[in-house]
C-alpha cells in the first residue's frame, strides 16, 4: 500500500465568526501571520511532506484563497518593472509550488462532512487532512504532517496528531484513549506513538478518558470515505471526523503521534496574536524591534 502524501485536504469553508468584523469580506484563512497568510503556512508544511495537490474545501466568499495560489501576472509584472524581481519571484513561487483543487462544501455540516466533500478529488489515494486553524512550528524537526506520514508508512495504519492538554481543557477537544496510553511503557517506538483504541469528541467536563487531544493533522486511507458516508450526525448535529476515526480505532488501524513542535491555535484570537509574536521573533528583521517594544509596554 502506497502511503506517500501526494494529496492534502484543507477544510476552509468556515465563516470565521471569532474574527469578525475582519472576516466579513476576508476569509479567515487569509489572515496573516506577520506577512504570510495562515493558509500559505499550512500549504508550505504540506509541501515539505511531499504533497503536490491541495484540495481546498471551500464555502461561499472564499475566492481570495484560490486567487492567492493562482498566477498574478499584473502584480508580478508591476514588481518586475519596479526592479523588485526578488519579490516578484517570491509571489510566483507560491503559484508554482502546488496544484490547488477547489471543492465546495454546500452546507456547514461538520469536519467529517467537509472531508467527505473531497472524496472525488482524492480518489483512491491515502491523503492528509490539515486544519487551517492549527499551525505547527516544527523548526528543527520534520514538518508536522511529515511526522504523521512517516509513522503511517512504518505501521501501515492511519495517523492522527496528539498533544497533551490540561485536564480541565480536555472537554474542548477530540480526545484519544486506550490501554496503551497508560505510562511510558505504552509508547510504540520513538516519538511517543500510541495505538489508539478510543476516540471521544468533546467529552463532558470531567469525563475525558485521557488528556491527549487530537490536533488538526491526519493521514488517512481512502476507506475513510465509506465510513464517513455511513456516519450519523454526532456532537453539535454535525458529521464528526472523530466518529469516523473511532471506527478505525476499533479496527486497530489508528496510530496517535505525539508530534515534535509547537502548536499555535490560530483560530482563537489570543492564540492568533501569540502565533504572530512567535513567528515575528524568528525574523531577524523584526526580532530586536519587537523585543524592545514588548519590554516598553510590559513595564
Amino acid at each position: 500500500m502506497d502511503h506517500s502524501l501526494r494529496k492534502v485536504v484543507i477544510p476552509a469553508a468556515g465563516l470565521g465568526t471569532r474574527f469578525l468584523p475582519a472576516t466579513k469580506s476576508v476569509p479567515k484563512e487569509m489572515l496573516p501571520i506577520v506577512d504570510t497568510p495562515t493558509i500559505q503556512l499550512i500549504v508550505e508544511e504540506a509541501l515539505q511532506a511531499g504533497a503536490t495537490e491541495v484540495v481546498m474545501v471551500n464555502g461561499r466568499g472564499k475566492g481570495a484563497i484560490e486567487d492567492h495560489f493562482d498566477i498574478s501576472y499584473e502584480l508580478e509584472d508591476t514588481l518586475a518593472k519596479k526592479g523588485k524581481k526578488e519579490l516578484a519571484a517570491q509571489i510566483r513561487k507560491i503559484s508554482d509550488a502546488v496544484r490547488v483543487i477547489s471543492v465546495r462544501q454546500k452546507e456547514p455540516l461538520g469536519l467529517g462532512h467537509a472531508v467527505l466533500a473531497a472524496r472525488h478529488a482524492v480518489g483512491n489515494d491515502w491523503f492528509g487532512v490539515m486544519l487551517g486553524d492549527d499551525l505547527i512550528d516544527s523548526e528543527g524537526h520534520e514538518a508536522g504532517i511529515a511526522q504523521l506520514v512517516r509513522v503511517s508508512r512504518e505501521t501501515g495504519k492511519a495517523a492522527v496528531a496528539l498533544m497533551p492538554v490540561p485536564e480541565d481543557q480536555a472537554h474542548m477537544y477530540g480526545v484519544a484513549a486506550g490501554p496503551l496510553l497508560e505510562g511510558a511503557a505504552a509508547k510504540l517506538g520513538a516519538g511517543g506513538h500510541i495505538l489508539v483504541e478510543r476516540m471521544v469528541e468533546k467529552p463532558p467536563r470531567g469525563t475525558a478518558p485521557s488528556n491527549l487531544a487530537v490536533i488538526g493533522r491526519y493521514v488517512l486511507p481512502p476507506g475513510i470515505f465509506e465510513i464517513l458516508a455511513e456516519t450519523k450526525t454526532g456532537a453539535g448535529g454535525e458529521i464528526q471526523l472523530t466518529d469516523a476515526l473511532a471506527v478505525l480505532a476499533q479496527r486497530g488501524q489508528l496510530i496517535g503521534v505525539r508530534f515534535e513542535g509547537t502548536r499555535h491555535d490560530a483560530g482563537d484570537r489570543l492564540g492568533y496574536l501569540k502565533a504572530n509574536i512567535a513567528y515575528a521573533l524568528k525574523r531577524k528583521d523584526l526580532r530586536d524591534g519587537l523585543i524592545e517594544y514588548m519590554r516598553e509596554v510590559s513595564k
Side-chain angles (χ1 to χ4, degrees):
M1 186 67 68
D2 183 5
H3 289 225
S4 60
L5 190 77
R6 291 189 294 269
K7 298 180 180 180
V8 165
V9 174
I10 302 179
L15 297 176
T17 54
R18 280 182 285 184
F19 287 92
L20 286 169
T23 49
K24 179 182 178 182
S25 59
V26 177
K28 67 173 183 176
E29 296 82 6
M30 291 299 295
L31 296 177
I33 303 298
V34 186
D35 54 10
T36 302
T38 306
I39 192 70
Q40 183 176 327
L41 294 176
I42 301 297
V43 169
E44 289 174 352
E45 180 186 331
L47 292 174
Q48 291 172 31
T52 56
E53 292 186 3
V54 171
V55 182
M56 294 284 184
V57 182
N58 288 322
R60 293 176 59 85
K62 298 285 185 143
I65 298 175
E66 296 177 44
D67 291 344
H68 182 70
F69 293 99
D70 200 356
I71 293 173
S72 180
Y73 172 78
E74 297 85 353
L75 176 58
E76 294 170 22
D77 184 60
T78 299
L79 290 171
K81 287 179 178 178
K82 291 184 176 182
K84 299 180 179 180
K85 295 183 179 180
E86 184 176 337
L87 187 55
Q90 180 181 342
I91 297 298
R92 183 56 180 260
K93 183 179 180 182
I94 297 169
S95 58
D96 288 344
V98 68
R99 179 182 178 222
V100 175
I101 302 169
S102 183
V103 174
R104 180 66 65 91
Q105 183 186 15
K106 296 181 179 180
E107 297 180 88
L109 297 179
L111 177 57
H113 182 262
V115 173
L116 186 57
R119 182 175 191 171
H120 295 296
V122 171
N124 293 320
D125 296 323
W126 281 68
F127 65 103
V129 175
M130 304 175 70
L131 304 191
D133 288 346
D134 283 324
L135 293 175
I136 295 181
D137 182 0
S138 54
E139 186 173 4
H141 305 284
E142 289 178 285
I145 191 70
Q147 296 177 44
L148 272 67
V149 173
R150 173 172 49 79
V151 174
S152 181
R153 285 173 177 164
E154 292 171 352
T155 63
K157 303 179 188 295
V160 60
L162 299 179
M163 179 183 75
V165 297
E167 291 185 5
D168 61 355
Q169 295 180 18
H171 68 281
M172 301 166 59
Y173 299 88
V175 175
L180 294 177
L181 295 179
E182 298 175 6
K187 294 183 179 180
L188 302 179
H193 319 325
I194 61 170
L195 180 62
V196 179
E197 292 193 352
R198 292 181 60 202
M199 299 286 292
V200 182
E201 178 64 23
K202 295 182 179 178
R205 286 179 180 270
T207 67
S210 83
N211 72 329
L212 288 178
V214 177
I215 301 303
R217 298 291 185 275
Y218 315 82
V219 174
L220 303 173
I224 195 73
F225 293 121
E226 288 292 340
I227 298 173
L228 285 169
E230 297 175 0
T231 299
K232 297 179 180 179
T233 56
E238 299 178 336
I239 297 176
Q240 298 292 345
L241 180 59
T242 301
D243 291 338
L245 294 175
V247 175
L248 291 180
Q250 291 168 6
R251 297 174 181 175
Q253 291 297 313
L254 185 62
I255 294 290
V257 180
R258 295 180 64 169
F259 63 88
E260 296 179 288
T262 301
R263 178 251 189 176
H264 297 282
D265 182 2
D268 171 79
R269 283 172 291 186
L270 180 58
Y272 175 75
L273 292 173
K274 289 180 178 179
N276 269 277
I277 292 172
Y279 278 79
L281 288 173
K282 295 166 59 175
R283 293 265 297 261
K284 292 182 179 180
D285 59 329
L286 298 174
R287 179 179 174 81
D288 291 344
L290 179 58
I291 290 175
E292 182 178 352
Y293 173 72
M294 289 193 295
R295 284 172 176 164
E296 291 176 0
V297 298
S298 62
K299 290 179 181 178

